[in-house]
Amino acid sequence: RQGMDGFGIPVAVSAPLLISLGFTPIHAVLITSIGHSWAVTFGSMASSFQILIAVTGLPGEVLAPFSLLLLGVACYVCGLIVAYLSDGWAGLKRNFSAILILATVMAVAQYVVATYIVYNLAATLAGVMGLLTSIAITGWQSRKNHAANGHVGKDLVSAFSSYIILVVMALIINLIPPIKTFLSQVHITLNFPEVQTSLGWLVPAGSGRILKPFSHPGSIILYASVASYFLFKHFNLLPKGSLKSVFQRLASAAEKSSAGIITMVTLSVVMTDSGMNQLLAVGLSQSFGAFFYPLAAPLIAALGAFITGSNSNANVLFAVLQMNTAQLLNISVPLILAAQTAGGALGSVISPAKVIVGCSTVGLSGEEGRVMPKILLYGLIPIMTVGLLAFLLQWLAL
């Protein structure tokens, strides 16, 4: 779910399923929150990673390798935590080999897809590969038990049809040059004049980011949604009034997320164009020093995601700050930005906003206080692991 949706939907969808399997509501929220956090950066059609590219001005080819490496290691840690939460140390020991296999498959798949195919589908295809691998490992006994009536297979195909359409459309638009060129003909950009603050901070004139509306990841989701609607309607899979319900839920979700994104983008632009990011970068570089800063970078990002509930907002808010600090300290900018987006991804799932969404689907509304201490405890483990790995990569020059 994270590959396509994000914004708390993976927890909202998956947590009730775990309850139906016998897990407690608290463990259902913990497992689903921690379990998908490694996929946040390249989930939601890689929206967080696209924002990282936009605000830093660095190409994805420079930012992706370290980001994928840190998130790949986080995938192992998240899997081990999930195994422990499921059945304690006995569950961790029993499932250790399976976790290593699954994490390797998903981490490698995400790395390969993002590096050699397209960012937008990295988390989605990694999740699909993980699902197929888990089916192979377990033998998928439930499928064997219900295959006789054929109904489960049909339901499964219909349930996944929208995702299949989206994956196919994304691959076609991104990988077939004539189609990509045709859809990219229309582009929008704005030219901004030179501005200077009263304290002398100068922002030179220049053009903004180029927006290609018809080949944008959001447009691809729209195309797939329209195609899915007509497909479902053709096979009578949509209940009466469903379209109205979809638009109502879309409006509600868009209102909340748009307000947060607009606020964070505005704050980020003000901080950057007024010189605040540079001033904060100087302070951070002097406080931590070059030696310890890689350890602190993912924690700073996680703080931004914890406050805003979004890795995208955390990247908007702190990516330029992290980049400026790395430049002042003369340490690897791509590595620090990778720690930024990895820390933001892992930190976003422990934010109160996401916890509220998860708790609302399992009957724990108003009892988020019972979940927060536990999710903070387990959620900090992969964040600190990413910090330690960034520290080692920087000073071992790997």
Side-chain angles (χ1 to χ4, degrees):
R1 295 294 307 198
Q2 178 60 39
M4 300 300 179
D5 300 315
F7 306 109
I9 293 178
V11 179
V13 171
S14 302
L17 296 177
L18 290 185
I19 291 179
S20 68
L21 294 174
F23 289 91
T24 66
I26 291 179
H27 277 81
V29 174
L30 292 175
I31 289 171
T32 52
S33 297
I34 301 297
H36 84 278
S37 58
W38 62 273
V40 171
T41 291
F42 289 93
S44 305
M45 298 295 286
S47 57
S48 298
F49 189 70
Q50 297 288 351
I51 286 175
L52 183 68
I53 295 172
V55 298
T56 62
L58 297 177
E61 293 77 9
V62 172
L63 297 172
F66 276 130
S67 300
L68 291 161
L69 177 59
L70 296 183
L71 291 167
V73 173
C75 185
Y76 287 93
V77 179
C78 292
L80 295 173
I81 293 174
V82 166
Y84 174 77
L85 289 171
S86 298
D87 194 21
W89 291 109
L92 178 59
K93 182 178 179 180
R94 183 174 60 255
N95 297 303
F96 185 78
S97 298
I99 293 296
L100 293 183
I101 295 172
L102 285 170
T104 300
V105 169
M106 293 189 292
V108 171
Q110 182 168 252
Y111 189 99
V112 170
V113 174
T115 304
Y116 298 105
I117 304 177
V118 59
Y119 306 131
N120 303 342
L121 295 176
T124 300
L125 294 181
V128 170
M129 291 300 298
L131 178 62
L132 294 175
T133 303
S134 65
I135 291 171
I137 291 174
T138 62
W140 208 10
Q141 293 300 319
S142 60
R143 181 183 180 187
K144 295 180 180 179
N145 293 336
H146 297 285
N149 58 26
H151 184 66
V152 172
K154 183 179 179 181
D155 286 348
L156 188 65
V157 172
S158 63
F160 275 94
S161 58
S162 296
Y163 297 99
I164 295 171
I165 292 171
L166 180 55
V167 169
V168 171
M169 283 191 170
L171 289 173
I172 290 174
I173 291 173
N174 285 283
L175 300 182
I176 298 180
I179 296 178
K180 185 175 183 179
T181 301
F182 175 76
L183 292 175
S184 300
Q185 291 181 93
V186 177
H187 57 271
I188 302 170
T189 187
L190 297 175
N191 294 315
F192 297 93
E194 177 181 287
V195 295
Q196 186 173 6
T197 69
S198 59
L199 296 178
W201 181 262
L202 180 67
V203 180
S207 58
R209 178 175 169 84
I210 297 175
L211 174 65
K212 300 176 181 178
F214 295 107
S215 60
H216 191 273
S219 298
I220 298 175
I221 295 176
L222 177 61
Y223 304 151
S225 298
V226 173
S228 299
Y229 169 75
F230 286 108
L231 178 67
F232 281 24
K233 186 176 181 180
H234 177 75
F235 288 104
N236 296 318
L237 296 174
L238 291 175
K240 186 178 180 180
S242 59
L243 188 61
K244 179 181 179 181
S245 175
V246 166
F247 278 110
Q248 288 176 339
R249 293 172 62 185
L250 173 64
S252 176
E255 180 182 2
K256 295 176 182 178
S257 59
S258 297
I261 291 173
I262 291 171
T263 302
M264 289 300 109
V265 169
T266 303
L267 177 60
S268 175
V269 171
V270 170
M271 291 179 68
T272 300
D273 290 356
S274 65
M276 292 172 64
N277 272 330
Q278 184 67 19
L279 183 62
L280 287 170
V282 172
L284 287 172
S285 64
Q286 293 174 348
S287 299
F288 289 100
F291 189 76
F292 289 108
Y293 192 76
L295 283 170
L299 292 171
I300 294 171
L303 177 62
F306 179 84
I307 294 171
T308 66
S310 166
N311 186 26
S312 296
N313 289 343
N315 283 342
V316 168
L317 193 60
F318 287 142
V320 175
L321 168 64
Q322 300 262 31
M323 180 173 66
N324 292 343
T325 305
Q327 291 169 340
L328 286 171
L329 295 173
N330 196 29
I331 56 180
S332 173
V333 171
L335 177 60
I336 294 303
L337 289 176
Q340 158 67 34
T341 195
L346 299 167
S348 67
V349 301
I350 63 175
S351 69
K354 294 288 182 66
V355 173
I356 291 172
V357 172
C359 289
S360 68
T361 64
V362 296
L364 289 177
S365 295
E367 300 184 57
E368 292 82 5
R370 296 172 56 193
V371 179
M372 283 302 303
K374 294 181 181 293
I375 201 168
L376 285 172
L377 173 64
Y378 293 110
L380 283 173
I381 296 174
I383 296 171
M384 295 174 66
T385 301
V386 164
L388 180 60
L389 179 59
F391 174 81
L392 293 175
L393 288 172
Q394 175 63 44
W395 300 117
L396 294 178
L398 295 179

